[in-house]
Amino acid sequence: MEHVDVIIVGAGLSGVGGACHLSRACPTKSFVILEGRERMGGTWDLFRYPGVRSDSDMYTLGYRFRPWRDNRAMAGGPAILRYIRDTAAEYKIDKLIRYNHRVRRVSWSSERACWTVEAEMGPDKALVQLSCNFLYLCTGYYDYDSGYTPEWQGVERFRGKIIHPQKWPEDLDYAGKRVVVIGSGATAVTLVPALAERAAHVTMLQRSPSYIVSRPAEDKIANLLRRVLPDRAAYMLARWKNVLSGTFFYSLARNRPNVFKWMVARGVRHELGDKYDSKDFTPPYNPWDQRLCLVPDADLFHSMREERVSVVTDRIETFTEDGLLLKSGTHVDADIVVTATGLVLKLFSGMQLVVDSVPVVMPKTLVYKGMMFSDVPNLAFAVGYTNASWTLKCDLIAEYVCRLLNHMDHHGYNVCTPRVNDADIEEEPVLDFNSGYVLRALDALPRQGSKTPWRLHQNYVKDLSMMRYGRVEDGTMEFRSAPVARQSEAEVVVSG
Ligand SMILES: Cc1cc2nc3c(=O)[nH]c(=O)nc-3n(C[C@H](O)[C@H](O)[C@H](O)COP(=O)(O)OP(=O)(O)OC[C@H]3O[C@@H](n4cnc5c(N)ncnc54)[C@H](O)[C@@H]3O)c2cc1C
């Protein structure tokens, strides 16, 4: 069985970033990246709907070690995909990606102090086994096979097309068509103005509104910094500016929700003028109970002002032959219905985790520093922030993985396991977020603890001090030296 020091699973934004960190900070470690799809990029390769873009700025969604050089701070999907590919090529980790390797099961043996990773390879799903000392899961957080679609009455009667944004047909012609987008989250507010450029009319049909804030697509200060400072210095300053302003506005939203609500409503009223209707823009929850929606240069509001887009807050009674009948009795005509109703949250894409022949039961584990599980040795995972850019946290996690590996080498350890050794730790849900996709999956998720290092801070500055500067031997991580795993030359194909 082929053996490497580290296996990274997933070649999306965090897998590619993790591999670059590893190649920089642990140059002697051997590693491979197993990717289930035939291309890298993950989310930014999968999602192809019109207008797909980031809704956080690229100075914080980009990697700490590689400046974002585009003028647009909120970038389009293709530009982000290019950035990921260019980074992989620049750091020469693209050659280490093994595509069409879908990992199904990973099992730890304490006796051999290593993980065995089982993957299905290629269209005939041949089973491949590899082993490694350390496993780094960068598999994202949702089901790639399909998005979430609620059940509605009368769907079979509808004569038009129903499309989920996760499976956007390349050849969909929506020019001159009446389009209804069901949803009010990030995907809906991205799609609606993009579709409105060619559609006859777009209706955004929402059960309840979201908080929507307009931000400039280009960050003038960041662009100015780039003109007067060297690349890296400008990038670092822009990154910190956005980290601090994001942290400030998040704390304002949580600590002074009424002030924040007033500011958001004032912004929307200012953009929409007499087209503003508070019922379409006043969510029934507090800011950041669900993710805030950011729109670049108020594009959604411009298309509403030009009457190419309307927003309707109502519930669906039934689909009809030519549209949707709403609970209020209103009928919305449609040729195409887009169900921007969310993702299916699926940790590690459903792969099975086993430690010494016993399957790991996620809800029975506690999350350590937001990157490892209690009693699961030598395994880290990359999951980003819910209230800030994903990469801010994933960069810190990858750095910490490197620190951990170097620390173990230095002290002759080869096993590290977070252990809950404080009886006062109380268990809590891992996310205090009430978005539909989180609530639907909460029971299957791990838990967090009431105290550091078991508490998820969702705060970059706190995590930075803990993960970049905090002690690796923190009294919670147990280290030991165990017999070294056996290595052999070739990857073994077990069955076809
Ligand atoms: C449309 C959209 C827009 C978003 N915009 C933002 C944003 O603006 N800001 C932000 O912070 N976040 C955003 N997010 C969240 C986004 O997913 C992250 O920012 C980031 O791209 C996730 O990167 P990742 O590499 O961790 O996961 P992914 O991009 O999901 O990549 C995971 C990779 O792992 C592979 N994989 C999964 N399971 C296996 C397996 N078992 N075996 C082998 N390979 C496997 C997948 O094929 C995929 O290539 C957005 C998400 C979506 C869907």
Side-chain angles (χ1 to χ4, degrees):
M1 193 188 311
E2 181 182 358
H3 182 87
V4 287
D5 293 324
V6 182
I7 292 181
I8 296 176
V9 185
L13 189 60
S14 37
V16 166
C20 296
H21 277 282
L22 206 54
S23 69
R24 284 155 42 106
C26 307
T28 58
K29 293 276 175 222
S30 58
F31 70 94
V32 295
I33 307 162
L34 303 181
E35 167 54 55
R37 303 177 73 236
E38 56 201 19
R39 290 182 300 272
M40 73 173 95
T43 298
W44 303 104
D45 182 68
L46 177 75
F47 279 84
R48 301 287 176 120
Y49 59 77
V52 59
R53 58 161 172 80
S54 70
D55 58 1
S56 48
D57 69 275
M58 288 307 298
Y59 306 104
T60 55
L61 189 59
Y63 303 116
R64 172 171 181 255
F65 57 85
R66 188 166 184 272
W68 173 256
R69 297 186 171 95
D70 200 290
N71 274 341
R72 282 179 78 86
M74 285 163 83
I80 302 174
L81 183 57
R82 217 164 29 245
Y83 174 77
I84 298 173
R85 286 186 184 147
D86 291 350
T87 308
E90 190 174 315
Y91 285 83
K92 299 191 173 54
I93 60 93
D94 48 350
K95 306 277 185 299
L96 301 176
I97 305 174
R98 300 193 188 169
Y99 293 103
N100 295 311
H101 278 62
R102 180 145 300 278
V103 177
R104 292 294 181 200
R105 185 173 190 272
V106 294
S107 53
W108 169 261
S109 157
S110 292
E111 209 181 312
R112 294 191 305 128
C114 74
W115 285 97
T116 301
V117 173
E118 295 174 15
E120 289 170 357
M121 186 183 70
D124 53 352
K125 301 192 173 169
L127 185 65
V128 175
Q129 286 191 333
L130 291 92
S131 66
C132 64
N133 296 109
F134 198 95
L135 193 55
Y136 186 26
L137 303 180
C138 299
T139 51
Y141 60 99
Y142 60 86
D143 190 352
Y144 267 63
D145 290 340
S146 49
Y148 174 68
T149 310
E151 292 199 350
W152 290 294
Q153 262 188 44
V155 172
E156 65 293 341
R157 284 161 63 192
F158 182 56
R159 285 192 300 242
K161 289 194 168 122
I162 301 179
I163 313 277
H164 194 285
Q166 197 166 323
K167 294 203 170 151
W168 196 267
E170 228 172 273
D171 56 353
L172 182 74
D173 180 15
Y174 54 91
K177 302 270 167 52
R178 296 161 303 175
V179 184
V180 173
V181 177
I182 304 175
S184 60
T187 304
V189 302
T190 303
L191 255 170
V192 164
L195 293 174
E197 284 174 18
R198 285 163 55 199
H201 188 80
V202 183
T203 306
M204 182 165 114
L205 174 59
Q206 54 182 17
R207 203 168 50 172
S208 61
S210 301
Y211 291 100
I212 306 180
V213 174
S214 170
R215 289 268 301 274
E218 293 193 9
D219 182 331
K220 286 205 176 80
I221 299 178
N223 288 345
L224 174 73
L225 289 171
R226 273 178 44 217
R227 279 199 291 278
V228 296
L229 289 175
D231 244 12
R232 279 180 192 274
Y235 184 59
M236 275 306 136
L237 284 176
R239 192 172 167 88
W240 269 107
K241 170 182 84 64
N242 291 354
V243 164
L244 295 177
S245 67
T247 309
F248 170 77
F249 282 110
Y250 178 75
S251 344
L252 181 70
R254 297 310 278 174
N255 298 328
R256 298 285 194 86
N258 288 336
V259 174
F260 194 84
K261 284 180 195 179
W262 174 82
M263 284 167 61
V264 175
R266 193 183 64 154
V268 182
R269 253 198 323 268
H270 170 75
E271 292 295 344
L272 287 181
D274 60 358
K275 296 226 159 20
Y276 176 78
D277 185 341
S278 68
K279 88 171 178 333
D280 296 326
F281 295 97
T282 313
Y285 53 84
N286 273 337
W288 280 112
D289 281 350
Q290 298 187 13
R291 212 175 155 106
L292 209 78
C293 291
L294 294 181
V295 294
D297 295 334
D299 61 355
L300 174 72
F301 304 130
H302 290 171
S303 48
M304 286 180 70
R305 268 206 322 253
E306 288 161 9
E307 300 190 346
R308 290 181 285 127
V309 164
S310 44
V311 174
V312 175
T313 308
D314 206 330
R315 288 181 172 245
I316 298 169
E317 178 69 38
T318 180
F319 274 64
T320 63
E321 283 73 13
D322 48 9
L324 296 131
L325 180 64
L326 307 180
K327 292 264 187 219
S328 62
T330 309
H331 189 272
V332 187
D333 298 339
D335 304 306
I336 299 173
V337 172
V338 180
T339 54
T341 40
L343 306 163
V344 175
L345 201 146
K346 200 174 192 185
L347 216 50
F348 313 133
S349 67
M351 85 174 62
Q352 199 189 4
L353 254 68
V354 176
V355 172
D356 292 327
S357 309
V358 181
V360 176
V361 180
M362 277 296 142
K364 293 205 168 144
T365 64
L366 283 190
V367 164
Y368 169 83
K369 295 185 176 170
M371 56 169 283
M372 292 178 82
F373 299 114
S374 53
D375 301 330
V376 179
N378 290 22
L379 179 146
F381 58 90
V383 169
Y385 293 121
T386 51
N387 62 353
S389 280
W390 189 261
T391 315
L392 284 175
K393 180 70 189 273
C394 292
D395 261 348
L396 288 178
I397 295 172
E399 270 184 49
Y400 199 83
V401 166
C402 297
R403 282 186 73 197
L404 204 51
L405 293 173
N406 288 337
H407 180 87
M408 288 204 286
D409 281 355
H410 192 72
H411 292 86
Y413 303 131
N414 57 1
V415 182
C416 60
T417 316
R419 302 279 190 205
V420 183
N421 51 14
D422 177 348
D424 293 340
I425 301 282
E426 283 168 30
E427 289 185 17
E428 296 173 12
V430 75
L431 296 172
D432 70 338
F433 224 40
N434 68 15
S435 298
Y437 71 95
V438 173
L439 294 181
R440 286 193 294 274
L442 211 51
D443 288 349
L445 297 181
R447 316 266 294 163
Q448 66 169 315
S450 48
K451 284 199 250 170
T452 306
W454 303 102
R455 183 150 204 86
L456 271 187
H457 294 129
Q458 300 286 3
N459 178 305
Y460 180 69
V461 178
K462 278 189 187 166
D463 281 341
L464 179 73
S465 74
M466 175 173 76
M467 302 184 77
R468 189 172 299 156
Y469 305 109
R471 291 170 63 86
V472 172
E473 299 243 11
D474 58 1
T476 301
M477 184 73 89
E478 176 192 283
F479 292 96
R480 74 184 175 94
S481 309
V484 176
R486 202 161 41 86
Q487 300 191 13
S488 83
E489 303 281 291
E491 193 173 276
V492 177
V493 178
V494 175
S495 70

